Amino acid sequence: MTVPGNEFFNLGAFEKYRKEEYEAFINLIDDQLFSFEKLKEELKIPNITEKYYTSTESRINEHKTYIYGLEQTIDSKNEDIQDLKNQLDMLRDELQKNQQDDSAVKTVMEELEQALKVTQKEKEVYSSIVRNSQRNMQMFVDKDFHSDVLREMNFDYDYSVYQLNRKNEYEYLTSSGVNEHLMEKQIIMKEKSNVINRAHTYKGKTAFGESTVAKLIPISLNKKIVVQLHLSDEDIEILNNELHELNKTAKIKIESTFNLFWTCLLIQHSVDEIKNRLKGAENVE
């Protein structure tokens, strides 16, 4: 009843009989508004080894800086969008004022309209990254950091997660948006062409498959995860065309998703360590 994560866990009993641990843990599950700074402070609990905390704090800081940069980029895109709209309005006024069919002006307008469309799409992608970051981080708090939270995260992609086991094989862990019955349950290292194994070999570089991309996420010395994103036909078309106007933006979105996944997995690992140590202390008593 006093072990977080146990099916019989009772918050009242936890508060009454393990007050110090309750005060350290309750802030993790009681936030109404997500805060990077608050999350870092509440993860700074003596039961977490300094090594894991430092790793998690560093990742949170990097992610916070990255999201702040994206927010500035969104502001810049808003200015670009307004500027393009102003230019289009001026050209429309010019056409109406002259009351003539000016093909040169119409050509410029078509180019501006295309630039506006692309800029709006870029802003939409960056806004989605920021929104997903805030939503997923807050969900960790709202869901009491249960391990199955990974199935409920929103990354704008379907995804599957594999973990390296003691046999040096990648074992299916969980997925979202895909039929788990169709997923390979065990992937041996001999399957060199498999995108999961290639992600392992690339050691941090993104591995591209026919309809998926994968990346190795080292959580600790003994825990290695590979996240696989399942792409839509539109994603594949954009990524396969280096000249596509949204090719760079699509790649940024994929890397941002992996970075967010990495941050979330490190936070989950740290919180799991808190729970395991609390459970160990309970068993000693």
Side-chain angles (χ1 to χ4, degrees):
M1 291 174 60
T2 59
V3 180
N6 185 289
E7 60 178 319
F8 300 113
F9 175 64
N10 182 282
L11 195 58
F14 186 46
E15 178 182 13
K16 181 177 180 179
Y17 296 107
R18 308 183 66 83
K19 190 169 183 60
E20 290 185 3
E21 290 151 339
Y22 167 84
E23 291 176 352
F25 189 77
I26 189 60
N27 289 319
L28 287 171
I29 63 175
D30 198 35
D31 280 347
Q32 295 301 314
L33 181 63
F34 175 76
S35 162
F36 279 107
E37 293 304 318
K38 188 169 183 59
L39 178 61
K40 287 193 301 178
E41 286 303 311
E42 301 308 335
L43 283 173
K44 195 183 293 184
I45 297 174
N47 280 332
I48 298 183
T49 62
E50 183 64 25
K51 176 182 177 181
Y52 285 130
Y53 171 71
T54 300
S55 176
T56 304
E57 180 188 37
S58 175
R59 172 56 58 175
I60 291 174
N61 282 335
E62 288 179 15
H63 189 68
K64 176 185 177 182
T65 300
Y66 180 72
I67 292 299
Y68 178 71
L70 282 182
E71 289 173 336
Q72 290 184 310
T73 300
I74 291 169
D75 290 339
S76 176
K77 293 296 178 183
N78 279 329
E79 293 177 1
D80 292 342
I81 288 170
Q82 189 57 53
D83 182 54
L84 288 167
K85 287 181 176 178
N86 290 340
Q87 292 183 58
L88 281 167
D89 288 341
M90 290 177 60
L91 290 175
R92 290 192 186 98
D93 290 342
E94 181 179 335
L95 284 177
Q96 186 174 6
K97 181 179 179 180
N98 295 333
Q99 295 183 344
Q100 60 183 14
D101 186 11
D102 192 325
S103 59
V105 173
K106 287 188 175 181
T107 299
V108 174
M109 288 181 65
E110 289 174 358
E111 293 173 351
L112 288 173
E113 286 171 347
Q114 180 61 23
L116 176 61
K117 180 180 178 181
V118 172
T119 305
Q120 288 174 326
K121 182 61 178 178
E122 289 175 336
K123 175 198 167 183
E124 178 184 326
V125 170
Y126 297 141
S127 297
S128 176
I129 294 170
V130 173
R131 185 169 57 253
N132 285 341
S133 174
Q134 295 169 342
R135 181 187 307 161
N136 287 320
M137 293 294 190
Q138 182 62 44
M139 186 172 63
F140 268 106
V141 175
D142 295 339
K143 295 290 184 179
D144 188 14
F145 294 91
H146 287 308
S147 59
D148 62 356
V149 77
L150 289 178
R151 295 179 63 88
E152 302 176 43
M153 300 180 83
N154 189 328
F155 293 97
D156 282 351
Y157 294 102
D158 293 340
Y159 62 86
S160 49
V161 183
Y162 287 81
Q163 182 171 337
L164 191 66
N165 62 24
R166 293 180 180 179
K167 297 179 181 179
N168 206 35
E169 300 172 342
Y170 272 98
E171 184 176 322
Y172 172 80
L173 193 62
T174 188
S175 60
S176 177
V178 295
N179 188 339
E180 62 180 319
H181 299 294
L182 299 179
M183 303 304 299
E184 293 183 77
K185 297 302 184 287
Q186 301 285 340
I187 301 175
I188 60 176
M189 286 295 181
K190 291 182 180 180
E191 299 175 10
K192 300 296 184 181
S193 62
N194 190 289
V195 69
I196 302 295
N197 286 336
R198 285 195 285 114
H200 175 85
T201 304
Y202 291 176
K203 299 185 183 301
K205 293 183 179 180
T206 303
F208 287 81
E210 290 185 6
S211 60
T212 64
V213 290
K215 194 166 189 174
L216 172 68
I217 298 179
I219 304 302
S220 68
L221 289 175
N222 299 318
K223 187 175 182 180
K224 292 181 172 60
I225 298 286
V226 168
V227 173
Q228 180 176 224
L229 305 180
H230 299 257
L231 307 177
S232 67
D233 291 341
E234 181 182 7
D235 293 326
I236 296 170
E237 180 183 351
I238 293 173
L239 289 169
N240 285 339
N241 183 2
E242 292 288 339
L243 298 179
H244 196 287
E245 293 163 318
L246 294 174
N247 179 272
K248 181 180 178 180
T249 305
K251 291 178 179 178
I252 290 174
K253 183 179 180 181
I254 286 173
E255 291 307 314
S256 298
T257 301
F258 282 132
N259 287 338
L260 176 55
F261 226 124
W262 196 338
T263 303
C264 291
L265 285 171
L266 278 176
I267 293 172
Q268 183 70 67
H269 183 72
S270 294
V271 174
D272 284 345
E273 186 170 276
I274 295 174
K275 291 183 177 182
N276 289 334
R277 288 177 179 271
L278 288 174
K279 185 176 181 179
E282 176 76 8
N283 291 335
V284 169
E285 294 180 2

